[in-house]
Amino acid sequence: MSESVLITGASQMLTLRGGPRRGNSLSNLGLVKDGAILVRDGKIVAVGPRAQMERRAEAKFADKFDLGGRVVLPGFVDSHTHLIHAASRAEEYELKIQGTSYEEIARKGGGILNSVKKLRAATKEALKRRAASALGEFAAHGTTTLEAKSGYGLDVASELKILDLHRELNQEQPLEIVSTFLGAHVVPPEFRGKAGGAEKYLDLLMEKLLPEVVVRDLAEYCDVFCERGAFTVGQSRKLLAKAKEHGLASRLHAEQLSRTGATQLAVEMGAASCDHLEHVNNADIRALAKSKTVATLLPGCDFHLGLKEYAPARKLIAAGAIVALATDYNPGTSPTMSMPMVLSLACDQLRMIPAEAIAAATINGAAALGRENAIGSLEAGKQADLAAYEVEDYREIPYYFGMNLCWMTMKRGEIVWIKD
Ligand SMILES: [Zn+2]
């Protein structure tokens, strides 16, 4: 016989029921006071006010789990991370503080290429240990699903090493990892400075690496860093189209440091998401609003780089785009595993209200990964992925910044982290 669990004691339960949100509905949390959740076999059987849940026959025989008056919400869905990398870039952090720009550091072989050098030299075991420890931090902050991109290998063996690790970690630890192939992160050193170097590298990606990724079923998405110094819109279109033929859906790094037109490409390709968006124009915003492509904002990146210009979140929301939030966890521009910190930045810098930020980090994050029917809200039939916070009011989650108030994280009905 399967075991059921009745979770009670939620002073506020944010259900986020009703699917991905646009415009005014972004702030609709589906809040239930004194809520309860009935879970069986890792899935939600029923959700609602405690009194109603307790009347159900199954609830009477279920194990009980009391949240002690805490606030419960769906586990965060972090739809943009660069999980696998070999080391921090603390040395560049110092240079940036002293005034060297991110692009200048990149031109001198720092930036992404610095991480590529370190990753190629690292053993698979060392990379795995580092990622496993990061995953523990993600769980401790209330994240239950995250996307992970390759892109620090940039040769056949190293990219496959990263994608293999996504699969291994997905099987060996409780958080769900959605794998993205980002071979087109930047042009690797051995192809740089040569005539047609970028094109030759793209050929390698399309002819050799992509088919291998597909045969081994190592990724669900293909992503491109479409940016000056990385790949053009034309090159991005070529690779994403090829990936699509192979069955990989598209996502894009778009308009981060400059406006390239990547957002229009994302919409044209029917991409699942289009991420960064600091430099979108009004036409880009209108195009996103009319599409199903999720506009994923990564304020941790601007914060860490000390930039003044954040993405125009208010304009995107007002226009009706599906806005999501993610950490962009990576060693160069956003070294954080904390979605609560990202919520604080979304509120303080993007001027989103706490309810909007929470919806953007849960149900809309799930939409960015094509999983809005399985995760991202507390509804019957979905996975029992949730997190409880040591606060009296959900608005305190972003209000207290730089602190971790997560008390317990549950993935598929199992407690994967709890504060002792
Ligand atoms: Zn990124």
Side-chain angles (χ1 to χ4, degrees):
M1 213 181 98
S2 64
E3 240 176 61
S4 313
V5 181
L6 181 69
I7 302 170
T8 58
S11 59
Q12 295 181 334
M13 176 171 74
L14 316 183
T15 65
L16 278 300
R17 61 181 171 242
R21 283 137 161 81
R22 299 174 188 262
N24 290 335
S25 75
L26 185 60
S27 60
N28 176 10
L29 294 174
L31 190 151
V32 178
K33 283 185 181 163
D34 194 10
I37 309 161
L38 185 61
V39 173
R40 190 198 321 132
D41 296 333
K43 288 205 165 170
I44 297 171
V45 177
V47 182
R50 181 176 54 84
Q52 201 182 63
M53 289 299 106
E54 282 176 345
R55 278 199 296 274
R56 296 177 73 100
E58 185 176 353
K60 295 194 173 68
F61 303 100
D63 285 344
K64 307 290 187 294
F65 185 71
D66 184 8
L67 297 175
R70 294 176 177 88
V71 171
V72 71
L73 52 143
F76 289 127
V77 181
D78 191 347
S79 58
H80 186 139
T81 88
H82 302 254
L83 176 68
I84 309 285
H85 50 265
S88 89
R89 299 214 303 264
E91 68 284 10
E92 292 178 7
Y93 179 50
E94 205 166 70
L95 288 175
K96 280 182 280 197
I97 293 166
Q98 292 166 322
T100 315
S101 79
Y102 178 61
E103 283 176 295
E104 220 171 307
I105 288 170
R107 272 197 299 274
K108 290 178 183 156
I112 295 167
L113 291 179
N114 182 355
S115 287
V116 169
K117 203 162 112 192
K118 288 174 179 169
L119 186 133
R120 287 178 179 177
T123 64
K124 201 171 169 186
E125 292 65 38
L127 292 171
K128 194 173 185 174
R129 265 199 308 279
R130 183 176 173 84
S133 138
L135 287 164
E137 287 297 325
F138 279 105
H141 287 80
T143 294
T144 46
T145 300
L146 63 151
E147 184 257 14
K149 303 175 195 296
S150 67
Y152 291 125
L154 308 186
D155 62 32
V156 174
S158 308
E159 283 293 299
L160 291 175
K161 176 162 78 175
I162 299 172
L163 295 168
D164 270 335
L165 282 171
H166 290 169
R167 168 178 288 171
E168 286 178 25
L169 287 160
N170 206 16
Q171 289 163 350
E172 295 167 16
Q173 58 78 53
L175 300 195
E176 189 174 343
I177 298 171
V178 178
S179 181
T180 294
F181 172 53
L182 178 61
H185 201 181
V186 286
V187 178
E190 55 275 23
F191 286 86
R192 278 182 173 249
K194 294 181 186 124
E199 293 296 334
K200 282 186 188 132
Y201 178 59
L202 277 179
D203 286 344
L204 170 84
L205 291 183
M206 292 192 289
E207 305 309 325
K208 269 194 96 174
L209 192 43
L210 193 56
E212 195 72 27
V213 170
V214 172
V215 166
R216 299 203 205 173
D217 195 19
L218 289 175
E220 203 170 313
Y221 291 98
C222 181
D223 193 345
V224 180
F225 187 27
C226 184
E227 186 58 72
R228 57 185 187 207
F231 296 92
T232 65
V233 167
Q235 291 166 339
S236 306
R237 181 185 286 113
K238 212 165 123 189
L239 177 61
L240 291 175
K242 189 76 175 176
K244 221 171 170 182
E245 277 172 33
H246 282 291
L248 299 193
S250 314
R251 14 185 20 98
L252 267 160
H253 282 67
E255 338 291 1
Q256 179 189 4
L257 306 166
S258 61
R259 187 185 175 276
T260 61
T263 302
Q264 300 288 345
L265 175 63
V267 172
E268 171 195 321
M269 303 289 303
S273 79
C274 179
D275 304 20
H276 280 291
L277 308 177
E278 282 81 346
H279 293 91
V280 279
N281 66 21
N282 289 335
D284 299 334
I285 293 174
R286 279 196 301 276
L288 281 169
K290 275 190 264 168
S291 77
K292 285 186 178 170
T293 298
V294 175
T296 303
L297 309 183
L298 311 166
C301 198
D302 306 298
F303 174 74
H304 184 74
L305 293 176
L307 302 178
K308 301 285 169 284
E309 209 174 325
Y310 284 73
R314 291 262 47 105
K315 275 189 174 179
L316 284 158
I317 295 166
I322 306 171
V323 170
L325 289 165
T327 58
D328 192 14
Y329 170 60
N330 79 78
T333 61
S334 192
T336 185
M337 303 90 167
S338 170
M339 278 299 258
M341 180 64 193
V342 169
L343 298 193
S344 296
L345 292 171
C347 294
D348 299 343
Q349 303 299 326
L350 301 178
R351 310 315 289 168
M352 292 168 73
I353 60 172
E356 291 174 327
I358 289 171
T362 52
I363 187 64
N364 283 7
L369 297 181
R371 280 161 169 71
E372 65 272 27
N373 295 322
I375 54 172
S377 65
L378 303 179
E379 290 180 277
K382 284 200 170 183
Q383 285 183 28
D385 292 5
L386 52 93
Y389 287 80
E390 203 97 59
V391 291
E392 287 176 12
D393 181 301
Y394 72 84
R395 285 171 290 209
E396 291 173 357
I397 299 170
Y399 167 85
Y400 289 105
F401 66 89
M403 325 191 23
N404 187 18
L405 297 170
C406 182
W407 174 71
M408 183 274 300
T409 307
M410 186 177 273
K411 179 69 186 176
R412 297 187 182 100
E414 302 286 332
I415 294 173
V416 296
W417 187 81
I418 191 159
K419 202 174 261 183
D420 50 30

